[in-house]
Amino acid sequence: MWGERRGRTAPGGLLLCGLLLGGALAGCAEPEAGWEERSGPIVFADSKDTSVDKQITRLVEMWNRFNPDQPVSFQEQASGSDAYRAQLIAHSQRSKREEGAPCYDVMAMDVVWTAEFAEGGFLAEVSDRDLDLSEFRPESLRAARYARSEELGRARDGAGASRLWAVPWRADAGLLYYRTDLVAEPPTSFAGLREAALAVSRREPSVAGYAGQFRKAYEGLSVNAFEAMWAFEGDPVPVDARGVPHPALDAGSATAVRSLVGAVRDGWLPRSTLDYDEDASWQAFGRGEVALMRNWPYAYAQLTAPDRAEGSLDPALIGVAPLPWQSALGGWNLGVSTCTRHGRTAREFVRFLTDPARQRTLLEQAGFAPTRTSLYEDGSLWTRPHLRVLREALDSARPRPAVPNYDLLTRLVQEQVGEAMRDGRAVDARVEALADGLTTLPGLVRPG
């Protein structure tokens, strides 16, 4: 079987299970008989398809051409990950509460949402009966695993979590883009990045030094903040051998916050980047306004697209290197919702999207890194510069904290780090508030 399934409330079979998720009580229900083997129409939810030439939309259309009796309706959601996550949560909660409510049978999820959605009972567990898990990269599988609260302290497998709740679809890791005419060698440390960015601004006053993603109340800010903390050997949410997180602001993480504030104060991280998301970053880089940039691999396809509407930078001037620190592991998983009525179709659609042929298409056409190990052994796929670098970056990529109420954690980081960077004065107070918040956030502190 695909795994445990708790769906909409079925007549005569109510099973209550109080799970706290973002302050809402989610009810659970007995599954409808035969859900796993039933075929029929399903709904696939993903954020807005911004890939080059709409590659994801094309894959859904391909499925529908060959499976007219099992059509997939592609429901594009918000393009921003925070807004999209909120839509998925609201829809999943409604599907649990209301019989007959519409269901997103298959959901594309940021890898960092696995814990939250599994803890909430929104996902059917994945079984190795459906997939040969040895064919997927280990770091991608780790990001799809989670041990729910009641399982902590029990025997755990080598991946650090006992159950798999989603199928890895697209891997991702941050890369450093740089202007080859302005930066002789890509930096390999935070201090080296500072030096390179300042040197560019001194020589070319019209070119900013460095751009990341620091937009207010945005997940990209948390990603950039966590990566900076790791650069200074910090870890704000260490996890013990039993999988229990023990959040606390260590010295390295505090130094990282102060260093980001200093970057804005010193001007090598311009104030304009405090309003940037990923798209704004690559567009500024493409216009020649920024010399160094942290972004995901998709930006390379956007920057070098023959018909790109934004940017005039010669692709020959685009250098790509690993980040000067560990990248946050990014990417997307596919989960089968517990509200699905057509489990067989949902599982087969997940297999379709994650098979090597489809992952190869997404790599070649959209720059999305695969999660299948075999595609990393095909040298013909890795001839483009950014893909060779991406393979290296993925090998050392690090997952963001796997906690059920990650939304509370990321909002804390965004508020305190983001405001410290914007204000630049009350840095000690912001660092103290971050430290206090880490030790008191509900859902993060678990019994030891």
Side-chain angles (χ1 to χ4, degrees):
M1 60 188 297
W2 184 266
E4 177 183 5
R5 193 265 190 186
R6 295 188 177 104
R8 284 186 288 256
T9 303
L14 183 63
L15 173 67
L16 297 179
C17 50
L19 291 172
L20 185 65
L21 184 72
L25 188 65
C28 297
E30 292 287 355
E32 295 178 1
W35 76 275
E36 291 179 298
E37 299 306 322
R38 192 178 296 141
S39 299
I42 64 169
V43 174
F44 169 48
D46 194 0
S47 59
K48 185 175 178 61
D49 185 2
T50 59
S51 62
V52 175
D53 206 19
K54 289 192 170 290
Q55 296 301 319
I56 296 170
T57 301
R58 287 172 175 264
L59 290 181
V60 175
E61 292 171 347
M62 178 187 293
W63 167 274
N64 287 334
R65 284 198 303 273
F66 289 100
N67 299 276
D69 58 333
Q70 302 177 72
V72 173
S73 173
F74 182 19
Q75 297 291 321
E76 293 184 80
Q77 308 294 308
S79 57
S81 61
D82 296 320
Y84 172 45
R85 174 199 158 275
Q87 289 173 330
L88 284 189
I89 289 290
H91 197 92
S92 297
Q93 289 175 335
R94 182 188 173 195
S95 295
K96 279 184 170 294
R97 290 193 309 266
E98 303 175 15
E99 183 176 2
C103 176
Y104 292 158
D105 302 82
V106 175
M107 299 183 290
M109 304 178 298
D110 189 304
V111 294
V112 80
W113 302 341
T114 302
E116 181 178 23
F117 278 68
E119 188 78 18
F122 298 150
L123 299 175
E125 185 182 358
V126 178
S127 166
D128 57 8
R129 192 199 78 170
D130 295 277
L131 290 164
D132 183 352
L133 301 182
S134 67
E135 296 179 355
F136 290 85
R137 287 179 63 94
E139 72 277 4
S140 294
L141 285 173
R142 281 195 294 271
R145 292 184 183 275
Y146 176 68
R148 298 197 300 194
S149 296
E150 68 271 17
E151 300 170 319
L152 288 176
R154 298 181 188 175
R156 304 166 65 81
D157 64 18
S162 58
R163 303 171 79 178
L164 187 70
W165 296 102
V167 179
W169 183 26
R170 306 191 318 248
D172 223 348
L175 303 177
L176 181 69
Y177 296 78
Y178 64 97
R179 286 271 298 274
T180 58
D181 57 330
L182 298 177
V183 180
E185 294 291 336
T188 58
S189 66
F190 194 94
L193 176 65
R194 177 183 185 275
E195 181 180 344
L198 286 173
V200 168
S201 296
R202 285 193 293 264
R203 293 196 314 270
E204 302 284 344
S206 63
V207 181
Y210 175 72
Q213 294 78 46
F214 296 98
R215 195 181 79 190
K216 189 174 183 178
Y218 184 64
E219 179 61 21
L221 193 161
S222 296
V223 169
N224 281 251
F226 283 130
E227 289 176 347
M229 293 174 185
W230 300 335
F232 287 92
E233 299 183 355
D235 186 358
V237 190
V239 177
D240 67 21
R242 296 170 301 158
V244 180
H246 297 277
L249 192 70
D250 53 21
S253 298
T255 298
V257 176
R258 293 189 170 92
S259 297
L260 289 173
V261 174
V264 178
R265 181 193 61 231
D266 296 342
W268 62 269
L269 197 161
R271 295 197 68 85
S272 59
T273 199
L274 301 183
D275 295 319
Y276 282 2
D277 58 9
E278 286 82 359
D279 286 347
S281 298
W282 73 255
Q283 289 165 7
F285 184 86
R287 291 191 297 266
E289 299 171 2
V290 177
L292 298 115
M293 171 187 66
R294 181 248 182 256
N295 215 319
W296 303 102
Y298 92 103
Y300 189 89
Q302 298 286 356
L303 287 165
T304 58
D307 58 346
R308 67 187 187 279
E310 290 282 348
S312 57
L313 187 65
D314 183 346
L317 300 179
I318 301 172
V320 188
L323 290 173
W325 43 75
Q326 281 181 295
S327 167
L329 179 67
W332 292 81
N333 295 331
L334 294 173
V336 172
S337 174
T338 52
C339 65
T340 185
R341 295 178 182 274
H342 299 133
R344 177 182 289 275
T345 299
R347 298 197 316 272
E348 289 178 352
F349 182 64
V350 169
R351 282 196 291 269
F352 168 80
L353 288 181
T354 60
D355 76 16
R358 253 55 72 184
Q359 291 202 12
R360 183 184 185 110
T361 296
L362 291 178
L363 174 66
E364 293 179 321
Q365 303 300 323
F368 294 143
T371 56
R372 294 272 188 170
T373 304
S374 61
L375 294 175
Y376 288 84
E377 299 168 355
D378 185 346
S380 66
L381 290 175
W382 302 95
T383 55
R384 284 169 283 185
H386 78 295
L387 296 180
R388 292 198 301 271
V389 174
L390 172 58
R391 182 166 52 180
E392 178 182 347
L394 283 169
D395 288 339
S396 62
R398 183 169 175 170
R400 282 159 280 174
V403 291
N405 278 357
Y406 178 83
D407 182 52
L408 299 179
L409 170 64
T410 191
R411 279 189 284 175
L412 173 68
V413 171
Q414 290 165 19
E415 179 181 359
Q416 300 305 337
V417 177
E419 290 306 314
M421 295 176 70
R422 282 168 172 77
D423 186 347
R425 292 172 295 182
V427 182
D428 289 341
R430 290 292 179 182
V431 170
E432 183 178 349
L434 178 59
D436 290 344
L438 282 171
T439 58
T440 57
L441 273 178
L444 292 186
V445 182
R446 292 178 171 181

